Amino acid sequence: MSTGTDVLTATDWKRTFHAYGLGTDVPGHLALLLSDDPRDHASALDHLYSAVIHQGSVYSATVPAARFVAGVLDRPGLDTAAPGADAVDGGSSPSLRVRLLAFLRDAVEGGIGYLETPVPPPLDTTERDRVYTAMGSDDEDEAIDIWEDESIDSLMYHEVGVAMGEAAPELYTAVRPHLTHPDAATRRRAVEAAAAIARLGGLDLDLSGAADMAETRDEGAVIVLALGESDGDTTEFLAHTDPAIRACAALAPGQRENPAALTELLSALRDPEEADTWFEDRPSFFDRYGTVRSALLREAALRGTPEDAERMLPVFRGLTPFTSASTADADLGPMLEAAFPDGLPENLTGAQREYLRALADGVLPWKGAQVTAFAALLRRLGLPADREELRVLVGEWA
């Protein structure tokens, strides 16, 4: 299996695809990364994140693209600022190397997603050729309709998920040296990429070098989150002096049965607005939730039992004053689901009554809230999406 520039000629790009069709245009864009012109880099990155990865989805062309990127990570000149990138670390823009490590992370995590689906049978050569022929068809309807074909599920699983997994050892080998790169932002993205690759390929994840060099909260958090997602034991970090590190340790799936971890999550949520300001360069782990507080809330509610509802009530009360119709589903939904696991009961408990009272007293713009995901959640739980009806329910009004 090749990596780096050999991928450009060793890949049958006519038998790959991305979000907009066949991957025959991918090698030309990848080659722009070998240029010294920032405008070429901008064009290449734009293609990588518009076609090769599209809104989080990855495709068969993503696999050779990832192998190419892995093979050029050690090229000189990649530490220059990447065009069009948001600034981190107090104002410095991430380098091209950082952006490429982030691409590898995103590509691999997309591959993991496909392997979490039921295994479809692989396509035979005839069926595979039929799909790729349709994708390259001049008939626009045919090229579009093929995406609805059930054969696409097989291609996604086998030619994206499985193929990415087969590339994992080479990808990991390419990323590992950057775990101890002199630049902190590079180390952080390398940790995230290495962790994703290790999960995909079932590889042993060694972050000791990065841990030895960690200088900031951002670095420590990325390492602890990566350790937790890779089934590592984060227990020792629950006693860390930094509340952000303790919370990241508590988020680990391996801590879901640990009462001390739930206590730590609830402690962090005493000031949810503060939690959202913890990081200058927020770990990508939180991107799937939107905010840090949403990740903490979702995990705390997942672990909490109905008996824990009263413990979470102060958090709920603290969030209701500043939530909005668009954020209420993420801010308040997880705790309501935990407090009402079987929907609205015939007789409210004291804690359930207090949840509804806090909700009715909140600043949520109820008229606009009736068409949001939060309103759908309330209906699913059997709760009214109306302030006055809530007040009647808790007995404040006759």
Side-chain angles (χ1 to χ4, degrees), residues 306-320:
E307 291 71 30
D308 291 310
E310 194 163 352
R311 294 177 65 196
M312 290 188 282
L313 183 55
V315 176
F316 190 84
R317 285 176 174 150
L319 282 167
T320 52

Side-chain angles (χ1 to χ4, degrees), residues 321-356:
F322 63 84
T323 194
S324 68
S326 60
T327 64
D329 186 47
D331 285 344
L332 307 179
M335 288 178 288
L336 282 176
E337 290 178 298
F340 296 87
D342 301 313
L344 181 65
E346 290 188 15
N347 297 302
L348 293 170
T349 66
Q352 288 174 330
R353 194 176 299 276
E354 290 305 313
Y355 272 92
L356 299 184

